[in-house]
Amino acid sequence: MANDYNDYVNHILPKIQRVKRLKHLYQLWSSYNEAHMTVLAKELVDDVLPHIQQLQFRDLYTQNIHKQRKLNIQTEIKDIESQLHSLNNDLVRQQEALKLQLDHKQQYLDAVQSLQRIQDDSAFLKIISSEFKNYKKWIYETQVLNKIVSFANHIILLASHPSSKPFQLKFLIGLPDKN
């Protein structure tokens, strides 16, 4: 047993003490490492935080720029829609005015054509009237007046005595010339 005790004291106890010392050194190193890492992390955060804030600011600025662009585009779209609506209204008014002008032009052309027809008909009627007067005069002179005169002469002949001197009516149409 003494031998076991000596073995324990000579071989095992130094190993146990060495493990305890290594554990203590590990704990010291771990505390130091944790503190060192905390300091490094703080330095890193202090170094990186302005960059992160700057990136956040840039991101916010970019988002605001995109929002402003979107608002500008929406405003431009509304302006363009308003202009299109106005142009469409102008186009409709111009089309209505053009249709009205074309209707008026057609009415004018119809009126001119009707007036031309009336003038042509009037000229034709004047020609017919003039020719009809000549025709009436010719009919009266050649047909009607001869029969009337012949009938009147026959009545005169019947009404007169056989001892009276026979006579006949003659006729003139138109006014005598003043030469």
Side-chain angles (χ1 to χ4, degrees), residues 13-178:
L13 191 57
K15 288 182 182 179
I16 291 175
Q17 288 173 349
R18 186 173 172 207
V19 165
K20 284 183 182 178
R21 194 173 48 96
L22 283 174
K23 276 185 178 179
H24 177 68
L25 287 174
Y26 176 75
Q27 286 175 353
L28 284 175
W29 177 83
S30 179
S31 298
Y32 170 78
N33 191 30
E34 190 176 314
H36 182 68
M37 289 301 225
T38 303
V39 168
L40 286 177
K42 172 140 179 30
E43 288 176 359
L44 182 64
V45 166
D46 289 344
D47 287 344
V48 172
L49 188 61
H51 295 295
I52 290 174
Q53 289 173 343
Q54 191 176 25
L55 288 173
Q56 287 174 339
F57 178 74
R58 283 183 187 168
D59 186 45
L60 184 62
Y61 179 74
T62 305
Q63 288 176 359
N64 286 339
I65 287 175
H66 289 305
K67 286 179 184 177
Q68 187 62 41
R69 284 182 184 165
K70 185 177 178 181
L71 288 174
N72 289 344
I73 289 171
Q74 287 175 344
T75 304
E76 287 178 17
I77 288 172
K78 286 180 184 177
D79 290 344
I80 290 171
E81 285 175 345
S82 174
Q83 289 174 356
L84 281 174
H85 183 69
S86 175
L87 289 174
N88 190 28
N89 287 343
D90 289 344
L91 179 64
V92 167
R93 277 193 294 272
Q94 288 177 357
Q95 285 176 340
E96 287 174 359
L98 178 63
K99 184 179 179 214
L100 187 61
Q101 286 178 346
L102 290 175
D103 288 345
H104 287 163
K105 180 181 176 183
Q106 187 61 42
Q107 290 172 358
Y108 172 76
L109 292 175
D110 290 345
V112 166
Q113 190 176 21
S114 295
L115 181 63
Q116 185 63 40
R117 284 184 194 146
I118 290 171
Q119 288 173 345
D120 291 346
D121 290 347
S122 173
F124 182 69
L125 287 175
K126 284 179 185 175
I127 291 169
I128 289 176
S129 173
S130 170
E131 292 299 317
F132 185 69
K133 285 179 187 175
N134 292 339
Y135 178 73
K136 264 181 21 180
K137 184 178 175 185
W138 178 79
I139 289 282
Y140 189 73
E141 288 176 356
T142 59
Q143 303 294 322
V144 175
L145 194 55
N146 284 337
K147 288 186 181 187
I148 291 173
V149 168
S150 166
F151 181 71
N153 285 335
H154 179 66
I155 288 182
I156 292 171
L157 186 62
L158 288 177
S160 62
H161 285 154
S163 61
S164 60
K165 184 176 179 185
F167 68 93
Q168 286 188 341
L169 293 177
K170 290 190 180 181
F171 61 90
L172 272 180
I173 302 239
L175 297 174
D177 289 338
K178 294 186 176 184

